[in-house]
Amino acid sequence: MKKYFLTFLPATLALLLALGSVSVFSACGALPDGSWMRCRRAQDAVTLSAAVLTALLVLQGLVRGKTVRIILNCAAVALCAAVFLLPGTLLPMCMLKTHSCYTALQPFARVMAVLIAVSCVPGLLSAAKAK
Amino acid sequence: MLSVRKLPLRNLRGYASRSAAIILFAALTSAAVFGGLLLTGAVRGGLETVRARLGADIMVTPESAKNEFDAQTALIKAEPGYFYMDSDVLEQIRSIEGVAAASPQLFLASAKAGCCSARLQLIAFDPATDFTVQPWIADTGTTREMGLMDVIIGSSVSWPSADNAVIRFYDSECSVIGQFAPTGSALDSAVYMNFDTCRALIDACRSMGLFKYADFDGDRSVSSVLVRVKEGYDAESVASEIRARIGGVSAVTAAGMLSGIADGLRHVSSAVKALMLAFWLPGLFMAVLFFAFMINERKKEFAALRAMGADRRILSRIAVTEALAANLAGGLIGIIVSGVLLCAFGGLIAGRMNVTFVLPPLGKMLLTALAALLPAVLAAACSSLAALGIISRTDAALLLKEGE
């Protein structure tokens, strides 16, 4: 039970990131003319990255090969770093820091990216120790 | 080799689910206490920063601006707006007894930015008479004097081209020469400039057909007058005098403007107190109860230790160390989790609660964290007392005989 929990915790967190970024912690809404604000691209990028992260982390829980598991975990940690930097650093957001892209999406993406990266460490260590 | 020093931690690991429950309750208690203290401190910090930044005792605005300017909410969730009155008001205010200084301001609201729905409040001040904005410019680190088309932005404004520090309003480029420190209020979403820059932007706005006042005369108009009251005079009395002597104006005191934030602080404080009580007392009770259960279940283990030569002092030390370790670990986890959440989502919480929010400096936060650990220490002390009571009532010989 504990083993399964630790194996699939990162994937669950990544799924939460994907779902949270399009619901409770989404970026700003649409403008009255129907167009999206600039921060929408950051939200889309975070959601897409989170979906890829989920797939990577589910896969690392299923495969048995030591090298593949190490590669998948390393890729996940690198993607977490990208998710951390996407809103506001790699992709521009709105003009006011009181907007929800700054108050909700950015902190949520950053907190979750750190949590996912940290939760990948046990998997990475166990893969490295595996014979 | 097993030693008395290692025993408490091994015991906690051995009774993993009970230890986890104790850690969870200690974490909830400390999270509630730390989160509550930090939230109240941040809202109070916002109020104090805004009070300091406001700098004036009275703000005079045109009475006709009532729909656009609500003094009580202006500092929390102001919708950018602009309104004007004749600049003669300035001299009339200066002539009123009790007025030490009066300085005009000119307002304009930016059009929606191309990137988003952001509209900024543009505020022009008169460098010759200003006593509210200029004292804070030094804190922005700028040494450049504010010239034509130079602006200083509030902390919430993120200007689009950070490389060349230029921000555009009504197709006119303004140079960003500094950024104010956060106040957690609507002041953070404003852009400050001198009168000439504001008049140039009003002209640009007018040429784009977006300006709503057809008969606006830039040289004879002001939006507000900020008043400093002479020492010994009551701000409310001077404001009443302004309202009585000058027709068509509204005068609101700083206390009136800050009342919205003060109300928010009162609401937050009472909610936090209720939350802290709701978590702290049951959390303390449950942590002690679980620990007492755990010790009670291990009576035979303690009896065996006695039989092996451990005296009551050693058994007490084991119990106290276990209680301290579990409660302090829980306390630290609670503090870290609530600290991270409040630091990350402070803006979101402040926005939802309509309060100002400025996190205290790191030193003060660490002191608050230490204070928030006290409930965990208290839980550890109560748990230890309960454990010592159980151990002292335990007859080792009788218990060991029962097991034979």
Side-chain angles (χ1 to χ4, degrees):
Chain A
M1 183 68 186
K2 190 182 164 191
K3 189 186 154 199
Y4 279 113
F5 176 75
L6 283 179
T7 307
F8 290 104
L9 177 68
T12 314
L13 289 173
L15 185 64
L16 279 179
L17 172 61
L19 295 176
S21 65
V22 291
S23 55
V24 186
F25 300 99
S26 61
C28 306
L31 288 165
D33 63 5
S35 62
W36 291 107
M37 295 192 206
R38 188 166 55 181
C39 58
R40 179 73 180 191
R41 279 170 56 210
Q43 182 193 311
D44 291 343
V46 168
T47 310
L48 185 69
S49 306
V52 174
L53 260 175
T54 311
L56 282 179
L57 292 167
V58 167
L59 203 62
Q60 72 82 30
L62 298 175
V63 295
R64 282 170 181 262
K66 176 184 167 172
T67 319
V68 181
R69 273 173 65 201
I70 289 176
I71 289 170
L72 287 174
N73 270 304
C74 287
V77 172
L79 201 51
C80 284
V83 169
F84 189 94
L85 296 173
L86 275 172
T89 307
L90 296 176
L91 289 173
M93 296 209 290
C94 291
M95 200 178 190
L96 270 181
K97 288 176 186 163
T98 48
H99 279 202
S100 61
C101 51
Y102 278 106
T103 60
L105 179 75
Q106 190 186 55
F108 178 67
R110 291 187 168 178
V111 168
M112 291 303 281
V114 172
L115 282 179
I116 296 165
V118 170
S119 68
C120 283
V121 174
L124 197 59
L125 291 179
S126 79
K129 278 182 196 166
K131 287 175 185 170
Chain B
M1 202 180 84
L2 186 65
S3 66
V4 174
R5 205 187 258 181
K6 286 180 187 166
L7 204 54
L9 287 181
R10 290 213 174 185
N11 283 336
L12 287 176
R13 251 185 275 165
Y15 295 85
S17 48
R18 294 256 165 114
S19 303
I22 295 168
I23 289 172
L24 177 71
F25 285 116
L28 281 176
T29 310
S30 294
V33 174
F34 183 64
L37 290 176
L38 199 60
L39 183 62
T40 318
V43 176
R44 187 172 289 122
L47 174 64
E48 277 157 16
T49 314
V50 173
R51 185 179 285 145
R53 270 282 292 276
L54 206 57
D57 298 312
I58 300 168
M59 186 178 186
V60 181
T61 51
E63 205 171 25
S64 55
K66 266 181 184 169
N67 292 337
E68 287 190 68
F69 180 77
D70 178 356
Q72 286 199 349
T73 58
L75 290 169
I76 308 169
K77 48 172 184 178
E79 187 59 30
Y82 53 101
F83 39 80
Y84 305 101
M85 56 188 172
D86 198 288
S87 57
D88 287 348
V89 170
L90 182 64
E91 284 314 313
Q92 288 176 285
I93 291 170
R94 281 180 178 148
S95 68
I96 288 172
E97 200 187 337
V99 172
S103 180
Q105 290 193 331
L106 198 60
F107 297 164
L108 181 65
S110 74
K112 279 192 175 69
C115 64
C116 52
S117 63
R119 285 179 76 220
L120 305 178
Q121 181 70 60
L122 312 183
I123 300 175
F125 59 92
D126 174 18
T129 58
D130 174 73
F131 54 90
T132 58
V133 181
Q134 287 184 124
W136 300 95
I137 291 181
D139 292 349
T140 65
T142 182
T143 50
R144 196 169 134 185
E145 198 152 310
M146 192 176 265
L148 184 65
M149 305 315 276
D150 285 343
V151 295
I152 295 183
I153 57 178
S155 68
S156 288
V157 182
S158 115
W159 69 95
S161 50
D163 301 334
N164 53 5
V166 161
I167 192 166
R168 292 179 77 86
F169 299 113
Y170 300 109
D171 278 344
S172 307
E173 280 192 355
C174 297
S175 305
V176 179
I177 61 166
Q179 187 162 31
F180 285 116
T183 64
S185 72
L187 296 174
D188 294 343
S189 306
V191 176
Y192 299 84
M193 59 196 71
N194 62 26
F195 267 52
D196 291 337
T197 305
C198 193
R199 284 186 192 119
L201 291 178
I202 289 172
D203 287 343
C205 173
R206 200 183 246 167
S207 64
M208 292 170 80
L210 297 170
F211 195 68
K212 63 182 177 185
Y213 297 105
D215 55 348
F216 173 80
D217 179 354
D219 295 325
R220 292 195 46 79
S221 300
V222 293
S223 296
S224 73
V225 177
L226 297 175
V227 177
R228 180 179 281 166
V229 172
K230 278 182 188 161
E231 217 165 289
Y233 281 84
D234 174 44
E236 192 50 61
S237 309
V238 176
S240 302
E241 188 66 16
I242 291 172
R243 281 191 290 265
R245 297 241 323 248
I246 307 169
V249 300
S250 161
V252 59
T253 59
M257 290 189 76
L258 292 167
S259 64
I261 305 176
D263 282 347
L265 177 61
R266 263 192 297 278
H267 289 142
V268 168
S269 295
S270 43
V272 160
K273 273 179 201 158
L275 197 74
M276 275 160 66
L277 268 182
F279 275 88
W280 184 58
L281 282 177
L284 176 72
F285 178 72
M286 293 304 285
V288 175
L289 195 70
F290 267 90
F291 195 74
F293 273 149
M294 197 163 78
I295 295 291
N296 199 44
E297 220 175 54
R298 291 160 49 198
K299 272 182 182 172
K300 279 190 183 163
E301 180 191 316
F302 284 107
L305 285 172
R306 287 293 310 266
M308 283 190 273
D311 58 14
R312 278 186 199 279
R313 205 170 48 87
I314 291 177
L315 298 187
S316 307
R317 208 171 76 193
I318 292 171
V320 171
T321 313
E322 280 182 29
L324 259 180
N327 282 290
L328 284 181
L332 279 175
I333 290 170
I335 286 168
I336 291 169
V337 169
S338 65
V340 167
L341 289 180
L342 263 180
C343 291
F345 296 103
L348 186 67
I349 296 166
R352 294 275 159 88
M353 294 171 88
N354 277 331
V355 289
T356 53
F357 189 91
V358 176
L359 280 170
L362 190 65
K364 210 172 171 183
M365 277 170 79
L366 288 175
L367 281 179
T368 312
L370 277 180
L373 267 183
L374 287 179
V377 175
L378 183 66
C382 294
S383 303
S384 304
L385 279 178
L388 294 182
I390 293 167
I391 292 169
S392 64
R393 281 198 304 271
T394 305
D395 186 336
L398 200 68
L399 265 176
L400 289 174
K401 267 184 202 164
E402 274 175 14
E404 282 173 4

